[in-house]
């Protein structure tokens, strides 16, 4: 208790300052979303804890895999092989269709179709706010994860990245109450926006009139509008359509196509669009033709606009180091 | 770093791990507010070492790991620890039941503040289970208190035998 007379400002003063600071932080975070640097820095402190929490679960999976019998492995292998064959047959068809599509698009001189790059990421098993639909992933800005990046699983769209740390990132699932995703009905081409409901297995399509052509069982795919999500990925299946008299809009519910609850691994998607490639320099560095294309893009950028200087510089530095 | 701070930080980190540990689906809404509970104890036992500033940082870290708005947990935590801090001498001599009642009210205010922020953001939960952490935390207070007190005595953090 030697510090009795030399403590700093009183508790009251500190409390007032900190409360004001908290309110300011909340406002800034909500209105301008400009606190990502602080989040990213603090997530460094938390990552070891998250990793430690996740470790026993990973160990369990590891043990489960290591001690599975040869018989089980063989069976699994056979199953995978069969599925692989099946998929390849389907892919052949798709390949031809894709080529044809590309040719037709060229004939129309339309925008070239975008391609995607994928990276597998594991979900870190830690709990977040129970009233939000968030997950923590074990890839961060060191793997070029960026804010707003879409994540998918084998079945469909899962959500998007909302916070990025150096080693981990937080993703919001499409069912979060504050999430919305532009979709299209596969059967009719009707565009709509699917809002998250806060429940794990439900999306809502709001503001669609009674007369709309939609029925249970319809597949919703991403429309690609808004630019966050790549087009033509399955999102959900319509589960309920009601047209209550007296309500201005139809009541439409959909069930997410992706396995939001069960997936242990998710895929991060990068879109290799012509305008976006300058950011993904490293990704394509292995592919010579690609990187050439990117370099010319960069030169154009820096020539046209001095504002892009900053963006280009880190890439160049990285290039030099290599 | 002195002994008080060290043992305090270790228990706070332990509380933090309990706060993010995965629970079965039926239990997530009942998860006690571990970090606040542990901070309350230390604010009561060693108010000169662990106070509102530490509570604020802990709250911010919780916000980052829960993905909530920066400051949403922090603001409630600062207020709770502030009240504990200025009343620590009275609370120390109170019985465990009386302490639990005070803590229940403080945690309820904290939860209401958090609910208020969620409401302003437009995703307020529509379930009474939202206040369940307050109840479970209060029920766990006596055990938290006894365990942490024994820990503190074992490592003879502060030379006040009466607390």
């Amino acid at each position: 208790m030697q510090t009795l007379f030399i403590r700093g400002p009183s508790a009251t003063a500190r409390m007032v300052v900190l409360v004001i600071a908290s309110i300011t932080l909340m406002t800034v975070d909500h209105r301008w979303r400009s606190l990502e640097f602080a989040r990213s820095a603090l997530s460094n402190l938390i990552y070891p804890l998250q990793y430690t929490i996740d470790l026993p679960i990973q160990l369990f999976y590891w043990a489960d895999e290591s001690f599975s019998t040869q018989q089980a492995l063989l069976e699994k292998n056979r199953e995978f092989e069969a599925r692989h064959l099946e998929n390849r047959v389907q892919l052949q068809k798709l390949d031809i269709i894709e080529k044809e599509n590309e040719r037709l698009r060229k004939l129309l001189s339309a925008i070239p179709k975008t391609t995607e790059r994928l990276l597998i990421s594991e979900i870190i098993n830690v709990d977040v706010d129970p009233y939000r639909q968030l997950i923590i992933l074990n890839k961060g800005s060191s793997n070029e994860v960026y804010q707003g990046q879409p994540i998918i699983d084998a079945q469909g769209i899962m959500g998007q990245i909302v916070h990025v740390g150096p080693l981990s990132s937080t993703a919001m699932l499409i069912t979060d109450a504050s999430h919305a995703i532009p979709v299209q009905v596969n059967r009719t081409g009707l565009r709509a926006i699917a809002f998250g409901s806060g429940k794990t297995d439900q999306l809502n399509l709001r503001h669609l009139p009674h007369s709309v052509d939609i029925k249970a069982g319809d597949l919703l795919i991403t429309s690609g509008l808004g630019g966050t999500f790549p087009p033509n990925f399955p999102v959900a299946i319509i589960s309920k359509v009601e047209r209550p008299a007296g309500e201005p809009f139809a009541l439409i519910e959909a069930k997410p196509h992706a396995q939001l609850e069960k997936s242990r691994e998710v895929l991060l998607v990068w879109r290799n669009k012509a305008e976006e490639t300058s950011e993904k320099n490293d990704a394509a560095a292995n592919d010579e033709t690609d990187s050439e294309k990117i370099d010319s893009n960069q030169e154009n950028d820096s020539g046209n606009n001095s504002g892009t200087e900053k963006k280009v510089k880190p890439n160049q530095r990285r290039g030099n180091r290599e | 770093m002195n002994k008080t701070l060290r043992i305090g930080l270790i228990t706070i980190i332990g509380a933090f791990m309990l706060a993010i540990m995965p629970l079965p689906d039926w239990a997530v809404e009942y998860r006690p507010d571990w970090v606040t509970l542990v901070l309350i104890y230390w604010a009561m036992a060693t108010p000169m070492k662990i106070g509102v500033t530490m509570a604020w940082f802990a709250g911010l870290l919780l916000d980052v790991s829960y993905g909530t708005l920066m400051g949403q947990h922090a603001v409630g935590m600062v207020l709770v620890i502030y009240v504990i801090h200025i009343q620590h001498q009275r609370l120390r001599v109170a019985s465990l039941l009386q302490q639990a009642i005070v803590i229940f009210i403080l945690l309820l205010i904290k939860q209401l503040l958090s609910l208020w922020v969620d409401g302003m953001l437009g995703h307020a939960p529509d379930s009474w289970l939202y206040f369940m952490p307050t109840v479970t935390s209060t029920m766990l207070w006596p055990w938290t208190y006894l365990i942490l007190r024994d820990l503190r005595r074992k490592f003879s953090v502060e030379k006040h035998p009466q607390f």
Side-chain angles (χ1 to χ4, degrees), chain A residues 12 22 26 29 39 125 127, chain B residues 20 23 31 56 68 70 82:
Chain A
T12 314
S22 311
M26 278 192 275
D29 198 13
R39 249 182 219 280
N125 287 289
D127 273 0
Chain B
I20 60 172
L23 290 180
R31 182 200 301 278
W56 191 65
T68 43
M70 292 276 272
Y82 170 71

Side-chain angles (χ1 to χ4, degrees), chain B residues 67-79:
Chain B
T68 43
L69 222 50
M70 292 276 272
Q72 189 175 343
H73 282 90
V75 69
M77 236 170 232
V78 165
L79 287 174

